Structure formats: C-alpha cells, structure tokens
Amino acid sequence: MSVNTKSSDRLTQVVQGDGYDVVIERSSRRKTAALKIDGGLVTLVAPRQLPIERIEQLVADKHRWIIEKLAHAALAKPASSNQFVSGEAYPYLGRNYRLKVLTGDLIAPKLVNGRITVTVPAPKQQPHYIRRLLQSWYKRNADRKIREKVRRYRKLVGVETGVVRIKDFKSRWGSCTPYGDLEFNWVIVMAPNRVVDYVVVHELCHLLHHDHSTQFWKEVERVMPDYKEHREWLKQRGHGLVV
C-alpha cells in the first residue's frame, strides 16, 4: 500500500491510505501513537516529534485493521443528525455559531467573524472529516476555558487542584479524585457559560465532600447561589449537546 502526505498545517496533517484518508493529530502530551476510528473517520494521535515516515509505516501496518473497522462503521447508525454543511448552527458557551465550510487543503476550524470556518478538500464527500474537526475544535476550546474556570473557582471554593483533563464521557459531565485531579466532558462547552461554571464548581466542591450530602450542596450553593437553575438546564437539555 502506498501512503502519501496529502496536506498539512500547524495542527493537522492528512495521510492518504489505500481507499481512505487518515487525519493526523499531533499532541505534546502523547508518548506513543494511537489509531482510532469514529464515524468513518480514521484518526491517528501522534507525539508532536514523531517523524512522518514512521506515521506512514504505522498506517500501512494497520491497513487490514482499518479496512475492517471502516466496514463496521459504515453499518453503524450516525451519532448526530447534523449534516455538517454551511449554515448549520453549533452552540458554544450558550451562543450559536453558524458553520462555514470551505473547499481547500485541510485547515483546523477557526472562529472568524461569528462563524466557525472549516476547510476540507471535498466537503460533500467528507462530512465525517468536518465532524471530527469540529470535535477537535470543541476539545481545544474546552481545555482552555475549563482550565480558566478551574483557576478562578478553586480560590472561591478554597481547594487545591491537581491535573485537569478534558475527556470523552458517555454519561458524565465531570469527575474528580481524592488527589485533586479533575476530568471534564468536552461537550459541556456547548452549554451556556453559567452551566459550564456550575459543572466546574460541582467538581471542585467534591474535593471537599466526596458525596452528594447536604453539606456538599450547601458548599455548591455558597459559591453559586443559583446553581439549581443550571443543574436543571443540564437535566432537561444536556442530552441535546452533540456534534
């Protein structure tokens, strides 16, 4: 199988396989490369300094596995009703932003003039690329915004925090450990800003009370008197936060 670099920019590269493309995401936090397939999109998360030649070889070595997984993905039900076309609205911190899809070399999404702009080689044939790129955009922004909120609210709660991670959770908005490590579902940044604040405060208060006791909720209310409003928003509308 021949594997060629198709296009690249500072954040993302695309490697062309035999009948499919592989989106390469570089991360300074990765020590090893990992392949994953989501919604028909093949992604390889690689250490920032890993040579492209090594990545190409990894893709070639996993060719059969990739083909099998893509076949299963083709039979799977789509996770979202979005069509990933220009004009669709995507929420971020309570405000809707219209998607603008451009044709060209693959470029990571950017928020420009009130629109989320994404560029892919063939938009009509590659909605799974657009979806994956949007998810990456949300994750990067979630990492930045949630860390800012943790720094602000930990002083109000009066706790010290450990590592802050942004993760994929199926049924949770966040979690914490007795060591002060906090994990948050990246999807939460699609919710209104104050709802995101509530989730951050909720997890920080768990560093004081590791249950949902009366003392825990009193602490949440001390920091955020209107928390019940935001908790109810999540119960009623949180299931609709999906890319």
Side-chain angles (χ1 to χ4, degrees), residues 153 156-157 194 201 205 218-225:
Y153 280 107
L156 297 175
V157 177
R194 284 291 286 170
V201 170
C205 288
K218 283 183 178 179
E219 186 64 27
V220 174
E221 188 172 25
R222 180 186 69 81
V223 180
M224 179 175 280

Side-chain angles (χ1 to χ4, degrees), residues 9-15 22-30 32-36 38 41-50 52 55 106 108-109 128-140 168:
D9 64 14
R10 186 174 63 87
L11 296 174
T12 312
Q13 294 173 293
V14 175
V15 166
V22 182
V23 175
I24 312 301
E25 294 182 356
R26 299 281 188 170
S27 172
S28 59
R29 299 178 183 177
R30 293 289 309 187
T32 59
L35 266 170
K36 56 185 177 180
D38 182 14
L41 177 65
V42 186
T43 304
L44 190 147
V45 183
R48 192 173 295 276
Q49 302 303 323
L50 188 66
I52 189 65
I55 290 174
L106 189 68
H128 51 288
Y129 277 11
I130 300 171
R131 175 174 179 256
R132 182 62 183 175
L133 290 170
L134 281 173
Q135 289 178 337
S136 296
W137 180 82
Y138 274 112
K139 290 176 182 180
R140 288 196 301 274
D168 288 284

Side-chain angles (χ1 to χ4, degrees), residues 1-5 15-20 56 59-60 63:
M1 179 185 72
S2 62
V3 183
N4 301 303
T5 302
V15 166
Q16 189 172 32
D18 187 2
Y20 53 85
E56 292 172 348
V59 172
H63 174 65

Side-chain angles (χ1 to χ4, degrees), residues 152-171:
R152 183 170 86 236
Y153 280 107
R154 71 184 178 189
K155 297 177 182 178
L156 297 175
V157 177
V159 293
E160 293 296 327
T161 55
V163 177
V164 177
R165 302 183 186 91
I166 304 301
K167 299 189 68 174
D168 288 284
F169 284 126
K170 291 185 177 180
S171 59

Side-chain angles (χ1 to χ4, degrees), residues 48-170:
R48 192 173 295 276
Q49 302 303 323
L50 188 66
I52 189 65
E53 293 79 11
R54 177 58 180 151
I55 290 174
E56 292 172 348
Q57 186 59 52
L58 286 171
V59 172
D61 292 344
K62 289 290 186 177
H63 174 65
R64 183 180 295 276
W65 180 85
I66 293 172
I67 291 295
E68 291 175 354
K69 291 295 184 180
L70 286 174
H72 287 298
L75 300 175
K77 182 179 179 180
S80 169
S81 61
N82 295 325
Q83 299 300 307
F84 305 103
V85 296
S86 291
E88 282 186 331
Y90 290 85
Y92 174 63
L93 296 179
R95 178 181 172 184
N96 281 331
Y97 294 91
R98 295 293 177 180
L99 178 64
K100 184 176 183 180
V101 181
L102 303 175
T103 302
D105 289 343
L106 189 68
I107 299 176
K110 299 177 182 178
L111 186 57
V112 181
N113 296 326
R115 292 179 179 271
I116 303 174
T117 300
V118 59
T119 305
V120 294
K124 292 183 179 180
Q125 286 75 43
Q126 298 171 321
H128 51 288
Y129 277 11
I130 300 171
R131 175 174 179 256
R132 182 62 183 175
L133 290 170
L134 281 173
Q135 289 178 337
S136 296
W137 180 82
Y138 274 112
K139 290 176 182 180
R140 288 196 301 274
N141 281 279
D143 187 78
R144 177 176 58 85
K145 293 299 295 186
I146 289 176
R147 288 178 188 277
E148 290 175 0
K149 292 177 182 297
V150 167
R151 286 194 294 269
R152 183 170 86 236
Y153 280 107
R154 71 184 178 189
K155 297 177 182 178
L156 297 175
V157 177
V159 293
E160 293 296 327
T161 55
V163 177
V164 177
R165 302 183 186 91
I166 304 301
K167 299 189 68 174
D168 288 284
F169 284 126
K170 291 185 177 180

Side-chain angles (χ1 to χ4, degrees), residues 208-227:
L208 297 174
H209 305 282
H210 301 291
D211 54 20
H212 289 102
S213 62
T214 300
Q215 290 82 1
F216 167 79
W217 290 115
K218 283 183 178 179
E219 186 64 27
V220 174
E221 188 172 25
R222 180 186 69 81
V223 180
M224 179 175 280
D226 59 346
Y227 81 90

